[in-house]
């Protein structure tokens, strides 16, 4: 019987790879390890369900993790922007562990990143004593930054 053995990557569809790399690579510190400006492989087209897909794909290493972030910019067919408000079904986020949330918050604020919340102290529940915030990447994708209790 087959079973899940782990995770490999989280994937986000983005509208402008240059802008997304400026956020994830330059501001967040992720490392690009694969960049394919024109993915048109038959297998890829079959997986995503678009027989004529042309996609700009980038894989990034998440600091301190074996998990990978995959960014896909569909050159063809282009999609439409979704409403990624946290309460909408289908909306999702990934939480990145940080060592100093306040410091990162100040740095990203200066870069004019859109925040859903400032750093919030977690005063109850399983993460009591930690800090967290939600922000939006350039496409409105929700990102959580989490600092555990110390």
């Amino acid at each position: 019987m087959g079973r899940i053995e782990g995770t490999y990557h989280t994937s986000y569809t983005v509208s402008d790879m240059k802008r997304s790399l400026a956020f994830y690579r330059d501001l967040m510190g992720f490392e690009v390890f694969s960049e394919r400006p024109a993915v048109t492989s038959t297998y890829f087209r079959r997986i995503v369900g678009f027989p004529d897909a042309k996609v700009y794909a980038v894989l990034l290493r998440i600091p301190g993790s074996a998990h990978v972030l995959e960014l896909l910019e569909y050159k063809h067919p282009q999609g439409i922007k979704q409403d990624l408000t946290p309460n909408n079904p289908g909306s999702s986020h990934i939480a990145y562990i940080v060592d100093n949330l306040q410091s990162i918050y100040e740095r990203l604020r200066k870069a004019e990143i859109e925040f859903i919340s400032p750093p919030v102290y977690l005063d109850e529940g399983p993460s009591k004593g930690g800090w967290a915030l939600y922000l939006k990447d350039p496409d409105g994708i929700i990102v959580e930054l989490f600092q555990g209790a110390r």
Side-chain angles (χ1 to χ4, degrees):
M1 181 172 166
R3 63 185 176 90
I4 302 294
E5 295 185 331
T7 62
Y8 173 53
H9 70 259
T10 296
S11 182
Y12 295 141
T13 298
V14 301
S15 62
D16 181 332
M17 188 64 73
K18 182 178 177 182
R19 188 177 64 174
S20 292
L21 287 174
F23 177 78
Y24 287 102
R25 181 192 58 210
D26 303 340
L27 283 174
M28 300 288 282
F30 295 12
E31 177 191 352
V32 172
F33 71 90
S34 175
E35 187 168 357
R36 298 172 62 197
V39 179
T40 58
S41 308
T42 301
Y43 81 85
F44 178 81
R45 288 172 165 179
R46 289 180 64 205
I47 290 170
V48 300
F50 294 106
D52 58 349
K54 181 177 179 183
V55 173
Y56 183 180
V58 175
L59 297 176
L60 300 106
R61 285 189 181 87
I62 300 170
S65 172
H67 197 76
V68 170
L69 178 64
E70 175 185 62
L71 301 177
L72 302 176
E73 179 186 345
Y74 279 77
K75 298 296 189 175
H76 182 81
Q78 291 185 336
I80 57 170
K81 184 170 176 60
Q82 303 295 303
D83 182 355
L84 303 176
T85 304
N87 64 324
N88 283 341
S91 178
S92 66
H93 76 273
I94 188 167
Y96 298 110
I97 299 168
V98 301
D99 63 352
N100 185 327
L101 184 60
Q102 191 63 42
S103 173
I104 293 170
Y105 172 68
E106 292 302 328
R107 181 171 51 84
L108 294 176
R109 220 167 51 104
K110 289 177 185 168
E112 299 183 5
I113 298 303
E114 181 182 351
F115 290 91
I116 294 175
S117 68
V120 174
Y121 179 70
L122 308 176
D123 60 359
E124 61 181 293
S127 299
K128 184 177 181 177
W131 290 84
L133 65 73
Y134 273 12
L135 61 87
K136 292 184 178 185
D137 87 346
D139 284 295
I141 296 168
I142 300 165
V143 173
E144 180 178 354
L145 300 180
F146 171 77
Q147 178 183 317
R150 299 196 175 196

